[in-house]
Amino acid sequence: MTEHALFGKSPFNHLTGGARKHRAATVIGMVITASMTILMLLNPPPLELLEDKLLDYRFRIRGTLPHSDNVVIAAIDEKSITKLGRWPWSRDKIALLVQQLNKLGAEVIVFDAFFSEREENDPLLGKAINDAGNVLLSIVFDFHAASPASENEYLLAAAFPSIDNPEKFKLYAPISLTNVLLPTPDLIKEAMLLGHINMFPDRDGTVRWETLVIEHNGYLYPSITLQAAAAYLGVPREKITLKATEGVQLGKRFIPTDVWGRMLINFYGPWNTFRHIPIADIIEGSANPELLRGKVVLIGATAVGIYDLRITPFSAAMPGVEKHASVITSIIENKFLQRVPRSADMIILLITGTMLSLLLPRYRAAGASGITLLFLILTLGTNYYLFAQRGFWANIGYPSLTIVLIFIVVMAYSYAVEEKNASRIRAMFSSYVTERVVNELIKNPDMAKLGGERREVTVIFSDVRGFTSFSEKHSPEEVVAILNEYLSAMTDIVFKWEGTLDKFIGDAILAFWGAPMKQENHAELAVRCALHMVKRLEELQQKWQAEGKPVLDCGIGINSGVVIVGNIGAEGKKMDYTVIGDHVNLGSRVEALTRKYSTRILITGFTLEKIRNLIESRKIANISVKGLERVVVKGKESPVEIYELASLWHGEESIITQCDTACVVEHREK
C-alpha cells in the first residue's frame, strides 16, 4: 500500500508514516477550528478590537460613496470665525443665520450646537426659530444626578411615541443616562423637534455606532439624526416606532440596530465628503441659494480650534457634524450597514476551518501555501463584497486567524516530522557533499542522482599570481597564514554576492552564479563580486605592507554560458556539487590571460552581453570595460572577445570599448 507524506508523495515515505501524519494534521486543524469557534463565542477584547480595526480598513478600501446632495453642512469654520468672531457667537448672529437659511429655502435646520446658557438675545433667536418652523435643537444626556429638567414638557414630547415589544429591553437594556441638559426656555419651546447628540466611542476611541435610543427617567429618546431624517422625509410622529432590540420603523423604512438600539454608521467618506458652506457666506448673502434650497442643513463646527473632532474609520480627526451627515444621508437613502448574527459568523468559521483542515494535508508545502492563500483571498473577498455591495458586516478576523493558524501549526508539525528525515539525509550525504548542497538535497531529493542539468551560469576563476615562487621563499606557516587570510576574505565576498563557492584548487578559487538556485542576474552578481574582490585585495595589500609581510596579487577570469551543474562523481562513494563544461574551461583560460595582459580582471564577450544593458542604463556605474583582443585559447577553435574590467572613480561615467574585430590572437598555452 502506498503511503503519502504530509504534503504529498515522498521518496522517504517508508521513514515517515505518511498516512498517520495526514490524519494527525487533519485533527490539528479541526482542534484549532473548534478552539477559535469557542474564542469567537467568548469574544475577548483584543480580538474584538482587531475586528473593529478590520472594519475600519474595509471603509477605507471602499472609499467615498456616491450620495445625493440632500444634506449640507453650514460650517462654523476658520473663515466664519475670522469674520464673525470667536465661537460661540451671540444669539443675534445665530438668529440672523436661521433667518437667512429660512429665506434661502432650507428644508430642515439642525443645530449640532448646544444652547444651555441664557443670553439676552434668546427671545430674538427664539422668534427666528419659531418663524422658520423647521429647526431641530440638540439635547445632551450625561451620568450626573437627575435634574428637574427631566419633567420638561418639551423634552417628554420628543420621546419615542410608540414602542413594540418593550419587554425585550429587560434583557438588552438601551443606554441609560440620569441627567439631561436642555436648550434655554426661550429656545426649547420654539423648536420643531429635539434630539440628543450623544456619541459613545468604542474601546479604541473610534466612533462606529450611532446611538438612536437613550433611556432617561423611564422614557426613550431618539438621536437628532433620526429626528432630522424623519422631518426631511415627512414622516409624522405616529409613524415612528421603536422595535425593541431590532430597529426603528420610520414610515416605510426600517432602520436596523443592534440589541441596544445602536445603528452601525455607514460612513460615506472622510472629511469634506459632504458640501461645506461657511456660515459667514450664508449670513452675508453670498452663498448659492441652490445649494441650500430643499436641503437638510446641519449647523456644526469644523474649525480645528473648536475641538468638535472625532476619531472615525476614515480619520483620526473628523468633525462630529460630518458623522451626523453620514447618518442622516444613510437613513434618507435607505442605505444601512448591518452586522451579521454571531451564529452565522460561527458557521462560516466552522465551514472554513473544516474544509482547510481536510484539504491542507494533501499538498506539499508550495501547494499548501497556495491553498491557504486561496482560502484567505476567498474569505477576504467574500467578506468585502458583503460589506461594500450588500451592507453586511461579517466577522473577518476569526476566519482569517483560523486559516493562518491552521497553516502555521500544520506546517510546523510537518517540519518537525520531516526534520527527522532531513537528519537521515544528512547522515547519508554529509560525508561527501557540502552543507549547502545537503540543504538543497533535503529540499529536492532528486538532486542526489548522479549527473545534473544544463544551466546558464557565470563562473569566476581567481588565482594568486606567483604563488609557487612565493611558497618557495617563505616558511609553510607563513604561506598558510597569509593564504588563509586571503581566501577567507575572498570567500566572504563571494557569499556576500550570493555566489556558490565550488572549490579551492590550491591557491585558486572557483565560484559560480546561477545554481543551485536560479539567478537571472548571475552575470551582474559575478562582475560586482570580482570588483569587490579587487578592492578588498588592495586593502589587504596595504595591511600586509604595513605589517612587513609579503604582498599577494591575483588575476580573475569571468565567463558566462551554459554548463552542466549538479552532483558529479562516483555515486555512493564520492560526489561533489560543481560545474563542468566548455564555458567553465574557458573561464579558467581567461583567468590565465590576466598575466599576459597585466590586468586583474578579464571578462569574455559572453559575459559582457549579459551586462551591457545594465552598464548603458547606468544600473552598473563607475566601471570601465575595455576591449583587448579576439583570442583563440586552448581547447577552442573560435576566437573569443576578451575585455579588461576595472573600477572608475566615483562620479565617472561607465565606458565600454569594443574589441578590434579584425585582429585574432592565438594563445594555446594554459
Side-chain angles (χ1 to χ4, degrees):
M1 184 175 81
T2 302
E3 291 185 322
H4 293 270
L6 184 63
F7 291 114
K9 296 181 179 179
S10 168
F12 300 100
N13 275 333
H14 62 286
L15 303 175
T16 63
R20 289 194 299 274
K21 289 193 300 176
H22 189 146
R23 289 194 296 271
T26 299
V27 170
I28 289 171
M30 298 296 287
V31 169
I32 292 173
T33 301
S35 300
M36 292 300 292
T37 304
I38 295 172
L39 203 59
M40 176 183 280
L41 187 61
L42 300 174
N43 199 24
L47 291 178
E48 182 183 7
L49 178 59
L50 171 64
E51 180 59 27
D52 287 341
K53 293 300 184 184
L54 291 172
L55 173 66
D56 295 347
Y57 279 112
R58 273 167 272 187
F59 274 112
R60 294 172 195 169
I61 293 171
R62 187 190 69 179
T64 302
L65 281 179
H67 58 86
S68 62
D69 60 351
N70 294 323
V71 179
V72 297
I73 296 172
I76 306 169
D77 57 1
E78 285 80 1
K79 177 181 178 181
S80 299
I81 291 174
T82 299
K83 290 189 175 183
L84 301 177
R86 189 176 67 177
W87 176 262
W89 300 320
S90 61
R91 301 288 160 80
D92 58 331
K93 292 180 182 178
I94 304 298
L96 182 57
L97 170 63
V98 173
Q99 291 168 358
Q100 283 293 95
L101 289 174
N102 185 40
K103 179 180 177 182
L104 293 170
E107 183 70 19
V108 180
I109 301 170
V110 183
F111 275 97
D112 181 27
F114 194 56
F115 307 115
S116 60
E117 297 180 1
R118 296 190 180 190
E119 287 190 13
E120 60 179 350
N121 288 322
D122 278 356
L124 183 62
L125 177 56
K127 183 179 185 306
I129 292 173
N130 179 270
D131 290 343
N134 61 352
V135 177
L136 278 66
L137 294 181
S138 300
I139 59 176
V140 176
F141 295 99
D142 61 32
F143 293 97
H144 297 127
S147 64
S150 300
E151 304 300 326
N152 185 288
E153 61 177 307
Y154 301 105
L155 174 64
L156 296 176
F160 275 100
S162 176
I163 304 172
D164 281 357
N165 304 315
E167 67 278 1
K168 290 184 178 180
F169 281 137
K170 294 180 181 179
L171 184 60
Y172 299 103
I175 294 174
S176 180
L177 298 172
T178 55
N179 190 43
V180 61
L181 298 176
L182 299 175
T184 63
D186 287 325
L187 303 183
I188 192 172
K189 67 181 181 180
E190 307 296 351
M192 174 187 179
L193 292 168
L194 300 176
H196 75 80
I197 56 173
N198 291 76
M199 296 187 199
F200 301 95
D202 289 336
R203 294 173 185 266
D204 60 345
T206 303
V207 175
R208 299 184 181 92
W209 299 87
E210 175 77 348
T211 305
L212 295 184
V213 183
I214 287 181
E215 188 276 332
H216 171 71
N217 201 29
Y219 291 87
L220 297 170
Y221 293 95
S223 67
I224 199 166
T225 50
L226 179 61
Q227 296 279 52
Y232 180 81
L233 294 170
V235 179
R237 283 181 52 76
E238 61 271 17
K239 294 292 184 180
I240 302 175
T241 302
L242 173 61
K243 296 190 174 184
T245 72
E246 297 178 17
V248 176
Q249 190 71 48
L250 193 66
K252 295 182 179 180
R253 286 172 171 76
F254 180 74
I255 306 170
T257 66
D258 65 1
V259 293
W260 295 283
R262 301 184 307 166
M263 167 189 166
L264 185 60
I265 301 173
N266 190 7
F267 284 97
Y268 275 66
W271 194 334
N272 284 319
T273 294
F274 296 90
R275 187 183 299 278
H276 288 211
I277 303 174
I279 287 177
D281 291 351
I282 298 173
I283 291 177
E284 292 174 355
S286 60
N288 184 353
E290 294 302 318
L291 301 179
L292 296 162
R293 185 176 294 114
K295 306 295 194 304
V296 176
V297 180
L298 280 165
I299 301 170
T302 62
V304 174
I306 301 179
Y307 301 107
D308 184 27
L309 300 178
R310 311 291 174 177
I311 301 173
T312 70
F314 278 103
S315 172
M318 177 187 286
V321 70
E322 286 266 5
K323 184 274 297 179
H324 294 330
S326 281
V327 174
I328 296 171
T329 301
S330 175
I331 296 172
I332 291 173
E333 296 185 346
N334 209 25
K335 293 180 181 178
F336 304 110
L337 294 178
Q338 189 171 1
R339 188 152 197 179
V340 169
R342 182 61 56 86
S343 58
D345 281 332
M346 294 175 71
I347 291 172
I348 293 171
L349 174 59
L350 285 168
I351 293 174
T352 302
T354 300
M355 290 180 61
L356 188 64
S357 299
L358 293 172
L359 286 173
L360 201 61
R362 301 176 181 273
Y363 293 88
R364 295 180 181 272
S369 300
I371 289 292
T372 302
L373 182 61
L374 178 62
F375 266 68
L376 278 175
I377 291 173
L378 288 174
T379 300
L380 296 173
T382 301
N383 193 289
Y384 178 73
Y385 170 79
L386 289 173
F387 172 77
Q389 301 298 325
R390 299 298 179 185
F392 288 107
W393 174 16
N395 193 291
I396 198 173
Y398 283 95
S400 299
L401 281 175
T402 301
I403 292 169
V404 173
L405 281 174
I406 290 174
F407 173 75
I408 291 174
V409 175
V410 169
M411 288 292 290
Y413 172 76
S414 171
Y415 176 80
V417 173
E418 294 298 333
E419 185 61 26
K420 295 181 180 179
N421 297 333
S423 298
R424 294 176 183 267
I425 295 174
R426 286 191 179 95
M428 294 177 193
F429 295 104
S430 61
S431 61
Y432 56 90
V433 295
T434 65
E435 181 66 20
R436 180 177 179 132
V437 177
V438 169
N439 293 333
E440 287 300 318
L441 289 174
I442 292 170
K443 296 177 185 177
N444 306 290
D446 289 343
M447 286 181 58
K449 65 184 179 181
L450 191 68
E453 62 175 329
R454 297 178 68 84
R455 185 82 67 85
E456 184 180 75
V457 302
T458 297
V459 297
I460 275 185
F461 277 89
S462 175
D463 196 9
V464 175
R465 292 176 180 170
F467 185 73
T468 301
S469 173
F470 168 78
S471 302
E472 292 172 351
K473 296 177 181 179
H474 297 84
S475 68
E477 292 80 9
E478 287 181 298
V479 171
V480 171
I482 198 167
L483 184 59
N484 282 348
E485 184 177 9
Y486 165 78
L487 292 177
S488 177
M490 298 302 109
T491 300
D492 289 343
I493 293 171
V494 170
F495 289 154
K496 171 181 172 58
W497 292 103
E498 302 177 359
T500 299
L501 183 64
D502 188 318
K503 60 176 69 73
F504 298 121
I505 309 169
D507 59 312
I509 299 172
L510 170 57
F512 56 89
W513 283 257
M517 310 304 294
K518 287 188 177 180
Q519 296 164 301
E520 298 299 328
N521 61 336
H522 53 83
E524 177 190 358
L525 292 172
V527 166
R528 291 186 184 275
C529 176
L531 293 169
H532 194 170
M533 290 169 76
V534 168
K535 180 181 179 182
R536 180 67 179 124
L537 177 61
E538 290 172 349
E539 294 171 354
L540 288 174
Q541 288 175 335
Q542 293 177 3
K543 175 178 175 293
W544 291 332
Q545 285 179 343
E547 295 172 351
K549 294 180 180 179
V551 175
L552 300 182
D553 204 349
C554 78
I556 299 173
I558 306 176
N559 182 44
S560 303
V562 177
V563 301
I564 302 297
V565 58
N567 289 291
I568 298 171
E571 187 171 16
K573 295 181 180 179
K574 178 64 177 176
M575 298 175 67
D576 191 19
Y577 189 76
T578 187
V579 288
I580 60 173
D582 187 51
H583 280 283
V584 180
N585 297 334
L586 178 57
S588 176
R589 303 286 186 262
V590 170
E591 182 278 320
L593 292 177
T594 58
R595 299 166 182 80
K596 181 170 289 293
Y597 289 100
S598 300
T599 187
R600 283 187 173 140
I601 306 176
L602 288 179
I603 68 174
T604 65
F606 303 117
T607 299
L608 175 59
E609 291 310 308
K610 292 291 179 183
I611 63 171
R612 183 185 294 275
N613 288 339
L614 296 175
I615 297 173
E616 292 175 348
S617 62
R618 300 183 181 180
K619 292 182 179 178
I620 299 180
N622 312 122
I623 67 168
S624 168
V625 182
K626 179 182 178 182
L628 299 177
E629 293 177 315
R630 299 175 69 215
V631 176
V632 178
V633 299
K634 183 179 179 181
K636 297 284 290 184
E637 296 300 326
S638 300
V640 177
E641 293 182 353
I642 302 297
Y643 294 83
E644 178 186 32
L645 177 68
S647 295
L648 298 175
W649 292 104
H650 182 72
E652 292 187 70
E653 290 192 9
S654 296
I655 303 171
I656 300 177
T657 306
Q658 291 298 130
C659 287
D660 182 0
T661 57
C663 180
V664 177
V665 179
E666 284 197 36
H667 290 293
R668 294 296 183 179
E669 69 277 11
K670 182 181 180 301

